[in-house]
Amino acid sequence: MPEGDTVWNTARVLQRALAGARLTGSDFRVPQLATTDLTGWTVRESASRGKHLLLRLTGTDAEQWTLHSHLRMDGAWRAYAPGERWSGRPAHLIRVVLSSPAAVAVGYHLHELALVPTAEEESLVGHLGPDLLGPDWDADEAVRRLAADPDRTIGEALLDQRNLAGVGNLYKCEVLFLRGVSPWTPVGAVPDLPGTVALAQRLLAANRGRWTQSTTGVLHRGGTSYVYGRRAQPCRRCGTAIRKEELGERVTYWCPVCQPGVELPRNAQDRPR
Ligand SMILES: [Zn+2]
């Protein structure tokens, strides 16, 4: 599940593979960039902001550009050595290939692929809240943005990238379990919002630098989460069956005993206030 930590890791892969390199070729397989050729362009750096990837380049005209991509649920970038077999995904999922003398970067099933002047990056990521893994992470600002809509469920508010950037469904479910907070709790009724935000940041940060996402400290298959992906399995704390319901546009997993309180799944949005 590409969340902020996965995107951060991906940005680092591209940084190691391409930073400083002059591209020897490019192959865009999306309509909006089909005629774009980055041959001769230089890669300045690779960065992430929330779940957005920003590959910053200098064109042959010396202008500064940013190649933006978003992984959503299923996208990925892989870096290969020249001549190495591309083993990542089926070829029909390839959206872009960037070649340099030392590495080939292949983007699979990327979304929102766009090439914009670096000065206009904000038009793509300016709406985002503080980046949990960014150099400018601002916990107070994230809390302020969350608290601005006190009636919204905390489960939905944590996923809104305008509040804080980087939390996806996995970390949302896990953070709320660890805090003992029902996902249907209105933001204004969450006992310790700063503590919840701080825990989200710690969980993402702990998963930087590895591809197996774990909130339990356990890295083997089946042991990496408390509630996410564990419907009907026993809660690791109390043994109650973990539940799964729709919340907003996404599903959520939770333990009804460890996360008590407001529990109005299915039509929670319509509940009387
Ligand atoms: Zn439990």
Side-chain angles (χ1 to χ4, degrees):
M1 176 73 55
E3 304 199 21
D5 55 334
T6 308
V7 179
W8 189 93
N9 289 343
T10 302
R12 196 168 67 159
V13 166
L14 290 175
Q15 173 78 10
R16 286 174 173 170
L18 294 178
R22 179 180 287 260
L23 297 179
T24 54
S26 70
D27 177 8
F28 285 96
R29 303 183 188 177
V30 292
Q32 70 271 25
L33 292 171
T35 60
T36 300
D37 182 4
L38 303 186
T39 303
W41 289 39
T42 302
V43 178
R44 303 202 309 279
E45 62 177 345
S46 165
S48 62
R49 180 148 174 80
K51 296 196 266 185
H52 298 249
L53 280 159
L54 304 166
L55 190 66
R56 299 182 178 125
L57 307 121
T58 301
T60 46
D61 57 0
E63 298 292 323
Q64 302 204 329
W65 295 84
T66 297
L67 181 64
H68 169 271
S69 59
H70 196 290
L71 304 182
R72 288 208 199 143
M73 308 287 277
D74 49 6
W77 279 93
R78 294 282 185 273
Y80 302 104
E84 183 183 353
R85 188 168 164 271
W86 301 349
S87 53
R89 304 274 179 94
H92 73 270
L93 294 179
I94 293 173
R95 298 293 178 264
V96 59
V97 180
L98 300 176
S99 303
S100 77
V104 181
V106 182
Y108 296 93
H109 217 171
L110 302 174
H111 304 269
E112 302 171 39
L113 201 56
L115 188 64
V116 301
T118 297
E120 295 174 19
E121 260 182 23
E122 288 298 295
S123 68
L124 296 169
V125 295
H127 64 288
L128 297 174
D131 179 357
L132 288 145
L133 297 180
D136 55 346
W137 165 238
D138 184 342
D140 292 340
E141 174 64 10
V143 170
R144 191 191 66 75
R145 290 184 181 216
L146 285 166
D149 191 354
D151 293 335
R152 198 174 187 195
T153 68
I154 186 67
E156 289 169 288
L158 284 175
L159 287 180
D160 188 336
Q161 305 295 300
R162 294 171 297 184
N163 289 331
L164 66 179
V167 171
N169 213 16
L170 164 71
Y171 289 110
K172 173 205 81 180
C173 295
E174 296 293 291
V175 164
L176 294 179
F177 172 81
L178 288 164
R179 298 294 304 181
V181 171
S182 163
W184 282 271
T185 307
V187 169
V190 172
D192 180 5
L193 204 51
T196 301
V197 168
L199 178 60
Q201 199 278 336
R202 285 203 302 277
L203 286 180
L204 262 81
N207 280 289
R208 278 182 301 199
R210 66 181 185 218
W211 296 103
T212 301
Q213 294 169 310
S214 174
T215 55
T216 59
V218 173
L219 293 177
H220 64 73
R221 193 174 176 82
T224 56
S225 69
Y226 287 102
V227 292
Y228 183 81
R230 300 191 65 243
R231 178 169 63 166
Q233 296 181 48
C235 172
R236 298 191 196 281
R237 282 198 176 149
C238 74
T240 303
I242 298 301
R243 292 176 64 179
K244 174 187 177 186
E245 295 280 357
E246 289 179 10
L247 169 56
E249 296 176 352
R250 305 290 294 274
V251 298
T252 199
Y253 297 87
W254 85 107
C255 171
V257 172
C258 294
Q259 297 165 264
V262 185
E263 189 191 322
L264 296 167
R266 295 205 184 285
N267 50 7
Q269 306 92 314
D270 306 319
R271 72 181 181 279
R273 296 197 169 112

